[in-house]
Amino acid sequence: MKFRVYRYNPDVDAKPYMKEYDLDIDPGNKMLLDALVMLKELDDSLSVRKSCREGVCGSDAMNINGRNGLACITPLASLKEPVELRPLPGLPVIRDLVVDMTQFFKQYHSIKPYLINNDPPPETERLQSPAQREHLNGLYECILCGCCTTACPSFWWNPDKFVGPSGLLQAYRFIADSRDQATSERLDDLEDPYRLFRCHTIMNCVDVCPKELNPTEAIGHIKDLMTKRLA
Amino acid sequence: MVDRIVVGAHYGLRDWLAQRITAAVMVVYTLFMAGCLLKATAGYAAWKEVFAGQGVKTFTLLFLLCLFYHAWIGMRDIAMDYLKPTAVRLSFHVLVILALMVYTIWSVQILWGV
Amino acid sequence: MSFVPNKKRPKHLALHLIKLPLPGFVSILHRVSGFALFLALPILLLILQASLRSPESYAELASTLSHPLLKLMLLGLLWAFLHHFCAGLRYLAIDLHWVKNLASARLSSKIVLAVSLALTALMGVKLW
C-alpha cells in the first residue's frame, strides 16, 4: 500500500514535507495503526503517538486523507491510496504526526471539568436517579482526542479564545449533571462572544467524532439554558 | 501593556439572539414582499403603489433596520475570525458602522422622499 | 555551541487538503453570500431609490439593468440572497433542534443548495 506522510523534524527540517512509503501489507482486517507501526519499523525516525490501540485513549488522532480520525480504529481497507497522513489541523507540530495539545487542554481546563458541589459530602455517594444519570449519556464518553476541535474552523481562527466543541461538550456534561451546583457560574463563563458563540453550528465536529458524539447539540442545549435564563 | 487573552464581554447571547430575531423579521417581510410582487402588475405605477401606504413604508424601514443590525453582527463575526491586528479590526468596525448609519438615513430618505 | 530549538512550530492548515463536509460548505457559502450582500447594499439601495423616485428614473433604471452584464450581477446577488435566506432558515431549524444529527444535517444542506439554486434559475428565467 502507498502512503504519503507529513514529516517534520525541528532539529533538521526548515519546513515540513511529505514522504512517500510503499508498504507490503495486506489490508485485510488491519487498522491504519498497524500500518503505522510497520512504517516505524521501516523508518524509525517517524514519530507517532499511540497507546491503547482500541479507540479509548485518544492518542493517535490525526488527519487521514483530509479527515480527522483515530488511526487505531480506521480500517486500512476503507482508505483510498495513497493514504495521506497529516497532523491534526491548527495545532503546532512538535514532530511529524505529533502535535502540541497544550492549547486544546487549556480550553478543556477552562470550563472547570469537575463536579462543583458545596454541600458537605454525604456518608455514601451523591446519588442520582436513573433519569438524571440518563442525561449524561452522549456527553461523558468523550476521550479528548481532539478530532472535533481541530476540525472546527472557529477553533483554527481563535484557538486562544474559543473553547472548541470538545470543551463545550464537557461544559454541558457538568451543566447537565444533577449533582453540580455551579450552573449559573458555568453559563456566565460562556456568555461571551468568543468562548461559546464562535460556534456557528456547521457540525464538522459531529462529522469526525470517532465516538459518534454530538457537540453541536450540547452547545445548542447550553444556548437554550442561557436564553431561558434571560427570559 | 501585559499581553493577556481577554474574554468575558457579556454580549455573546444578546448578539446571537438579535441575529435570529432580525432574521425572523426579514423572513416575514420577504414572504410579504414576494406576495405583493406576485399580485402587482409590471410598471412604475403599480410598483409605486406597493410602497404608497404608511404601513408598507414602516414595515420596509423595520426590515432595513433589521437588515443593517443583522449585517453588523455578521461583519463583526467575520472580523473576529480573519482580522487580527486591533487597529485593522477597529478601522473595519468603524467603517461598517458608519456605512450602516448612512444607509439608515438614506433608507428613510428613499421611503419618505418625493 | 548551544542548541537553539525551533520556537516557531509549523501548523498544518492547508485548507485545500482538509476535507470540508457538506454542511461546512453550506456554512462558508452562507458567510460569503452574506459578505457579498453587505458589499452590494449601496447598489441595492440605489436601485430601490431609482425605482421609486419617478417614472423617468424607473425607465432609466430598467434600461440600465437590461445590460447582460448587470443582469448577470443581479442574478448573482439573487443567488446570494436566496442561499443566505435558505441556509439561514436551516440554522434556525438547528437552533430549534429540528435538525440535530449528522444525517439530517447533510440532508438539509443538500435541500438548501438545491432549493436556492432552483429558485435562482426560476427567477433568472423570468428576469430574461
Side-chain angles (χ1 to χ4, degrees):
Chain A
M1 272 185 94
K2 291 212 179 340
F3 291 84
R4 292 188 72 227
V5 184
Y6 181 103
R7 300 298 310 267
Y8 172 71
N9 178 349
D11 301 342
V12 204
D13 305 323
K15 57 178 200 215
Y17 63 98
M18 296 300 285
K19 187 165 177 181
E20 298 190 10
Y21 295 94
D22 202 347
L23 196 63
D24 184 20
I25 186 172
D26 167 28
N29 50 9
K30 289 196 181 65
M31 296 294 172
L32 174 59
L33 184 61
D34 297 316
L36 276 166
V37 170
M38 283 176 75
L39 280 181
K40 201 166 160 60
E41 275 166 24
L42 214 73
D43 175 355
D44 64 3
S45 70
L46 178 66
S47 295
V48 191
R49 269 197 197 109
K50 63 170 174 25
S51 180
C52 77
R53 55 114 190 93
E54 54 185 15
V56 174
C57 72
S59 307
D60 62 353
M62 58 186 70
N63 191 266
I64 307 158
N65 280 346
R67 193 171 178 277
N68 289 352
L70 299 178
C72 56
I73 53 170
T74 301
L76 264 184
S78 72
L79 297 173
K80 231 172 66 189
E81 285 185 68
V83 180
E84 303 216 346
L85 300 176
R86 292 187 174 80
L88 287 178
L91 290 178
V93 177
I94 296 174
R95 188 177 160 144
D96 300 338
L97 299 174
V98 177
V99 289
D100 179 1
M101 310 263 298
T102 309
Q103 194 60 260
F104 173 82
F105 283 112
K106 236 185 190 164
Q107 292 295 3
Y108 171 63
H109 291 141
S110 80
I111 60 98
K112 302 205 167 93
Y114 40 83
L115 212 60
I116 299 178
N117 186 319
N118 295 318
D119 290 345
E123 298 263 324
T124 57
E125 301 89 344
R126 297 184 199 273
L127 293 177
Q128 281 190 302
S129 71
Q132 289 169 331
R133 173 61 186 77
E134 175 73 25
H135 284 303
L136 305 184
N137 288 347
L139 305 171
Y140 79 93
E141 299 94 329
C142 174
I143 56 172
L144 298 174
C145 63
C147 281
C148 62
T149 295
T150 60
C152 176
S154 289
F155 184 78
W156 298 339
W157 315 136
N158 288 296
D160 51 346
K161 299 194 187 92
F162 176 54
V163 173
S166 164
L168 289 168
L169 183 82
Q170 289 317 294
Y172 186 62
R173 181 249 170 272
F174 288 96
I175 288 170
D177 195 312
S178 60
R179 300 161 296 181
D180 190 87
Q181 296 176 333
T183 303
S184 291
E185 290 84 340
R186 292 183 191 279
L187 293 182
D188 283 344
D189 174 55
L190 297 173
E191 201 173 346
D192 150 281
Y194 281 101
R195 286 177 60 71
L196 177 133
F197 284 100
R198 282 307 81 215
C199 169
H200 302 303
T201 61
I202 79 168
M203 294 203 195
N204 275 11
C205 51
V206 189
D207 196 274
V208 296
C209 177
K211 307 304 273 188
E212 296 183 11
L213 305 178
N214 193 330
T216 307
E217 206 193 349
I219 294 167
H221 289 313
I222 299 178
K223 286 172 179 165
D224 290 350
L225 284 172
M226 285 182 176
T227 312
K228 200 170 147 193
R229 186 168 75 154
L230 188 79
Chain B
M1 199 178 78
V2 288
D3 188 22
R4 275 197 191 278
I5 291 159
V6 276
V7 287
H10 282 251
Y11 61 87
L13 176 71
R14 198 193 61 202
D15 275 9
W16 176 78
L17 265 177
Q19 203 171 33
R20 272 131 191 94
I21 293 164
T22 52
V25 173
M26 289 189 283
V27 169
V28 175
Y29 180 84
T30 304
L31 297 179
F32 164 77
M33 220 358 105
C36 286
L37 291 181
L38 282 179
K39 269 192 294 179
T41 46
Y44 176 73
W47 176 242
K48 177 108 182 162
E49 184 59 30
V50 171
F51 289 91
Q54 286 300 319
V56 177
K57 281 186 195 198
T58 309
F59 195 12
T60 305
L61 186 63
L62 179 70
F63 162 77
L64 288 169
L65 291 178
C66 283
L67 171 65
F68 298 153
Y69 193 14
H70 190 89
W72 157 241
I73 299 169
M75 288 306 113
R76 206 206 47 215
D77 272 349
I78 290 178
M80 275 172 148
D81 281 352
Y82 310 128
L83 302 180
K84 295 299 172 184
T86 310
V88 176
R89 188 185 289 189
L90 212 58
S91 315
F92 178 79
H93 282 186
V94 171
L95 279 175
V96 171
I97 291 172
L98 285 178
L100 291 173
M101 282 164 83
V102 170
Y103 297 162
T104 305
I105 299 165
W106 190 9
S107 303
V108 175
Q109 288 169 342
I110 292 173
L111 288 168
W112 276 276
V114 235
Chain C
M1 215 173 77
S2 67
F3 170 69
V4 184
N6 186 352
K7 281 259 175 60
K8 189 93 187 95
R9 286 176 170 156
K11 280 181 180 180
H12 165 46
L13 255 187
L15 297 187
H16 61 289
L17 296 172
I18 301 169
K19 278 217 180 93
L20 182 63
L22 191 67
F25 179 65
V26 168
S27 171
I28 193 68
L29 284 185
H30 190 70
R31 174 164 281 192
V32 170
S33 57
F35 188 66
L37 288 168
F38 172 77
L39 291 182
L41 273 179
I43 303 171
L44 295 171
L45 284 171
L46 218 56
I47 292 176
L48 181 68
Q49 185 171 40
S51 74
L52 286 176
R53 192 157 40 196
S54 66
E56 293 78 44
S57 67
Y58 182 92
E60 199 187 329
L61 177 74
S63 78
T64 314
L65 289 184
S66 62
H67 190 280
L69 264 178
L70 283 177
K71 266 193 179 173
L72 208 64
M73 184 203 75
L74 227 50
L75 200 65
L77 281 177
L78 192 64
W79 170 81
F81 173 76
L82 287 167
H83 178 84
H84 205 82
F85 186 90
C86 295
L89 285 179
R90 177 176 171 273
Y91 282 136
L92 291 177
I94 293 176
D95 291 333
L96 294 169
H97 304 285
W98 294 347
V99 171
K100 47 176 159 188
N101 55 33
L102 207 50
S104 57
R106 283 176 184 155
L107 178 68
S108 56
S109 300
K110 280 181 198 158
I111 294 174
V112 165
L113 283 176
V115 169
S116 56
L117 280 174
L119 282 177
T120 310
L122 201 77
M123 293 190 190
V125 170
K126 276 202 114 174
L127 208 69
W128 247 279

